[in-house]
Amino acid sequence: VTIALAFGARKLVRFNALVRNLPAVETLGSVTYICTDKTGTLTENRMSVEQIYCAGETLDSLPSPGSDAPGIYQSLGVAMALNNDVMVVDGQPAGEPTELALFAAAREYGFDKSILERKYPRLAVIPFASERMRMTTLHQAEQGVIALVKGAPEQVLSQCETSLGAGHEDSFQRDEILAEAERLAAEGYRIIAYAQRELSTLPGQLHAEEVEQGLCFIGLVALIDPPRAEVPQAVSDCLSAGITPVMITGDHAGTAMAIARRLGFSTSERELLTGDELATLDDEDLSRRVEKVRVYARVSPEQKLRIVKALQENGEFVAMTGDGVNDAPALKTAGIGVAMGQKGTDVAREASDMVLLDDDFATIVRAVRAGRRIFDNIRKFIKDTMSSNSGEIWTLFLAPFLGLPIPLMPIHILWINLVTDGLPGLAFTAEPAEPGIMNRPPRPPEESIFAHGMWQHIVWVGLFVAGITIATQAWALVRGVEYWQTMVFTVLTISQLFHSLAVRCETASLLRIGLFSNLPMLGAVLLTVLLHMAVIYMPVMNEIFHTQPLPWQDLLICITLSSLVLFAVEIEKWFVRRRMIYADTLAM
């Protein structure tokens, strides 16, 4: 089992999913909800400025600094250039994607940060906080200090008292500006609002609630982050697999719904819950509401933890993505915490079970598919091993009760367990995914590994193998051949190899999946047969294993009797398929 999980973890790395907690490889198959961030996970994390709303009109770009355009455009360009933490390293700007987009747009419009910083040197900064959803930088100006504020439109506008007009402070139309922000957000844009405030001196103590008040609105900037092309198919795969994908974002509700509709997460406003609405719900109300919500907007990292707990209260197994320090509690609490490898913090990665090296939502879905396949293969290995060992136990237990001598020597049992459990057991790790693996509901985490008829299979196959083995022993003893024990040894070994081939798929026939679809298994079976032939026919091995060469007729009889296990299991799978068809017919 450990080897299967390790091979699975190695394969997941090829899918850009780094597993930090080995059991998470198996539990991926139990995921019922995937709660994912939007920016960078569902989108390309490649923000670009497309529209500007300033002085009551929408523009594609800002006029250059040297033009005769109204001063409000100059103020917005200066704010875009200065209010960010972008650093230029070796000629390349580095920073958070949204700020990089604003920095690049300002420079394209002619507002170069490095030049403007000489005129307006930064004195202090009040960093962005998820509670305020604003960031403020303070700069030295000719007449004192100017505070430049950017953030979510509703948060910035709530602190504004006036609007900067064409060279003068004009009447402030808050509702009109908010309506424009709503319109742009509904088209899928991420909206950033800018405002400013002039101060006589730099405050001795920087408090956001004191500095970020009495602001003068400047304008809105609309950015777009294109959705990843592979995400719609990944969302569709989730839905067909019984997994509910949920988007959690700090963006405006309109932006979130526009992206959610485009990607297939949701089409109804009734499936949207904002952070402000979530804050008014108690835990009991949230538990009732959470099953119907597919999009969360303007959510703080702390609220992610409430969402995870509410889903878990309803019996869901949740995979939660996160990248920030504040996401760590939610990642730790979730069934599987998924951290971002590119934009994630060290704290988030340490708290996670899996790290997405490419920050791509589709990688989570591929990991779930791989997790289901790995768990299936572990089940097949356990089914094969325990059925085979069951056959050995029944043979050794029943033969003396039927008046027969003990059929095997200890070295025979050791050999059978070494070759029939070891080599084919390892080969199960290479078994391809079951047909329709992503068209079935998730496996309940508390479900026994022996569910779905496995323990019944172990019992009847063990008795069947014991039956043909004891029958072979009785027939050989009646004939009075000296090599009767070698025949028993051979039937018990070869029958287990046929069983390994038969249980490669839970329902599909071996003829359908083909012998060559798992070459390591075919190689393991052939190698085991060759090793067993060496034990039978090589004199030096005869002395060690107390075996005798079999005539080719008796060897053929042993192989034929052993193959009955394959046919018996194929008949069982035929009945299972018939039962599934009947169940589907009733469901229709």
Side-chain angles (χ1 to χ4, degrees):
V1 170
T2 303
I3 291 170
L5 293 175
F7 274 123
R10 186 182 70 169
K11 187 163 187 176
L12 285 173
V13 170
R14 299 174 189 166
F15 294 148
N16 292 313
L18 177 63
V19 175
R20 298 186 65 256
N21 181 14
L22 200 58
V25 176
E26 174 261 320
T27 53
L28 279 165
S30 298
V31 170
T32 59
Y33 266 74
I34 299 178
C35 298
T36 175
D37 294 324
K38 178 182 76 67
T39 304
T41 308
L42 301 175
T43 60
E44 295 181 3
N45 204 22
R46 184 174 48 82
M47 303 292 288
S48 61
V49 175
E50 288 205 354
Q51 294 192 47
I52 305 284
Y53 177 79
C54 192
E57 58 181 349
T58 303
L59 310 170
D60 292 332
S61 63
L62 285 176
S64 60
S67 65
D68 296 330
I72 187 172
Y73 298 126
Q74 311 296 313
S75 298
L76 181 56
V78 170
M80 290 173 62
L82 294 178
N83 186 302
N84 59 69
D85 288 328
V86 174
M87 304 289 291
V88 179
V89 181
D90 297 329
Q92 294 296 322
E96 193 268 332
T98 300
E99 292 201 333
L100 283 172
L102 295 167
F103 171 87
R107 190 162 62 176
E108 181 184 340
Y109 303 150
F111 298 91
D112 192 298
K113 182 177 181 178
S114 60
I115 297 174
L116 289 170
E117 280 185 327
R118 299 192 202 113
K119 185 177 180 181
Y120 304 103
R122 181 184 286 194
L123 302 176
V125 60
I126 303 176
F128 177 87
S130 55
E131 300 82 16
R132 300 177 6 258
M133 293 190 177
R134 296 185 295 269
M135 172 186 177
T136 299
T137 56
L138 294 98
H139 304 265
Q140 185 66 55
E142 294 179 2
Q143 304 299 323
V145 175
I146 185 170
L148 301 175
V149 183
K150 81 164 185 285
E154 61 271 25
Q155 296 295 330
V156 173
L157 286 166
S158 67
Q159 304 300 312
C160 290
E161 295 180 355
T162 57
S163 174
L164 194 65
H168 65 281
E169 291 184 353
D170 206 353
S171 58
F172 181 45
Q173 302 292 332
R174 181 182 285 110
D175 292 342
E176 181 181 320
I177 298 168
L178 282 172
E180 180 63 19
E182 293 279 355
R183 184 189 69 79
L184 290 169
E187 295 178 10
Y189 290 106
R190 183 177 185 183
I191 313 303
I192 303 294
Y194 282 93
Q196 69 177 42
R197 181 186 177 190
E198 294 182 358
L199 304 169
S200 57
T201 59
L202 183 69
Q205 295 291 328
L206 283 180
H207 297 294
E209 59 272 15
E210 295 178 6
V211 175
E212 297 172 347
Q213 63 174 327
L215 303 179
C216 184
F217 174 74
I218 305 175
L220 302 175
V221 178
L223 304 95
I224 192 71
D225 185 6
R228 292 179 183 264
E230 66 274 16
V231 170
Q233 182 59 51
V235 171
S236 177
D237 290 342
C238 279
L239 296 173
S240 65
I243 302 169
T244 304
V246 174
M247 179 197 298
I248 300 179
T249 178
D251 284 353
H252 187 279
T255 305
M257 280 306 299
I259 296 296
R261 290 191 184 99
R262 193 180 303 182
L263 297 178
F265 274 76
S266 174
T267 57
S268 172
E269 296 287 344
R270 290 175 295 181
E271 298 176 333
L272 169 70
L273 186 67
T274 64
D276 290 340
E277 293 170 335
L278 193 154
T280 64
L281 300 175
D282 60 26
D283 291 343
E284 187 177 341
D285 290 335
L286 181 59
S287 294
R288 286 196 298 267
R289 183 86 182 271
V290 75
E291 292 280 1
K292 299 177 182 178
V293 179
R294 299 294 176 265
V295 181
Y296 294 88
R298 289 287 191 245
V299 171
S300 66
E302 293 76 13
Q303 290 176 322
K304 282 186 174 184
L305 181 59
R306 289 194 64 200
I307 296 170
V308 171
K309 288 183 176 179
L311 288 168
Q312 290 175 335
E313 282 290 321
N314 294 337
E316 305 293 350
F317 194 83
V318 185
M320 170 68 78
T321 69
D323 53 20
V325 172
N326 293 337
D327 290 331
L331 294 175
K332 202 76 174 176
T333 304
I336 294 181
V338 183
M340 301 297 110
Q342 295 180 350
K343 62 176 183 175
T345 61
D346 289 340
V347 174
R349 285 192 284 267
E350 285 295 323
S352 67
D353 301 295
M354 187 170 74
V355 178
L356 299 185
L357 301 180
D358 57 359
D359 293 6
D360 189 351
F361 175 80
T363 299
I364 304 176
V365 181
R366 287 193 289 267
V368 169
R369 177 186 174 87
R372 290 188 175 192
R373 170 183 165 269
I374 291 161
F375 183 78
D376 284 350
N377 290 345
I378 290 173
R379 266 180 54 93
K380 293 169 189 175
F381 162 71
I382 293 174
K383 177 190 281 190
D384 182 50
T385 301
M386 295 194 70
S387 298
S388 300
N389 283 283
S390 172
E392 296 171 37
I393 292 169
W394 284 118
T395 300
L396 292 167
F397 180 74
L398 294 176
F401 281 97
L402 297 174
L404 300 173
I406 294 176
L408 296 172
M409 299 180 69
I411 195 168
H412 297 154
I413 299 171
L414 290 172
W415 176 255
I416 293 171
N417 287 335
L418 176 66
V419 297
T420 63
D421 291 351
L423 294 175
L426 290 175
F428 274 116
T429 63
E431 191 63 40
E434 291 270 329
I437 194 170
M438 291 298 281
N439 292 322
R440 68 189 192 206
R443 175 184 60 84
E446 69 280 1
E447 181 182 271
S448 169
I449 199 167
F450 297 103
H452 306 293
M454 186 197 280
W455 72 266
Q456 295 96 325
H457 176 93
I458 291 170
V459 172
W460 83 256
V461 167
L463 288 170
F464 187 83
V465 169
I468 60 175
T469 305
I470 292 173
T472 303
Q473 180 186 10
W475 178 66
L477 287 170
V478 168
R479 291 170 56 204
V481 295
E482 295 181 358
Y483 48 79
W484 65 268
Q485 197 168 51
T486 303
M487 291 184 68
V488 172
F489 181 32
T490 301
V491 168
L492 201 51
T493 302
I494 303 299
S495 63
Q496 294 185 22
L497 296 177
F498 275 115
H499 183 258
S500 297
L501 292 173
V503 297
R504 282 182 49 207
C505 188
E506 294 277 355
T507 56
S509 167
L510 180 61
L511 292 175
R512 181 181 174 188
I513 63 176
L515 281 172
F516 299 99
S517 57
N518 185 350
L519 291 177
M521 176 62 79
L522 184 61
V525 169
L526 294 176
L527 178 58
T528 303
V529 170
L530 289 174
L531 290 172
H532 190 74
M533 292 302 106
V535 168
I536 295 174
Y537 293 107
M538 289 182 65
V540 65
M541 302 295 277
N542 293 154
E543 293 181 13
I544 296 172
F545 286 91
H546 305 283
T547 55
Q548 296 169 283
L550 294 177
W552 70 267
Q553 299 94 332
D554 286 338
L555 176 62
L556 188 60
I557 290 171
C558 289
I559 294 173
T560 302
L561 289 172
S562 300
S563 68
L564 294 177
V565 176
L566 173 63
F567 293 107
V569 175
E570 287 294 334
I571 292 171
E572 178 197 37
K573 290 195 287 186
W574 181 83
F575 279 113
V576 171
R577 291 195 298 271
R578 295 288 295 177
R579 188 169 63 246
M580 291 171 61
I581 293 171
Y582 180 69
D584 291 342
T585 304
L586 288 180
M588 294 174 62

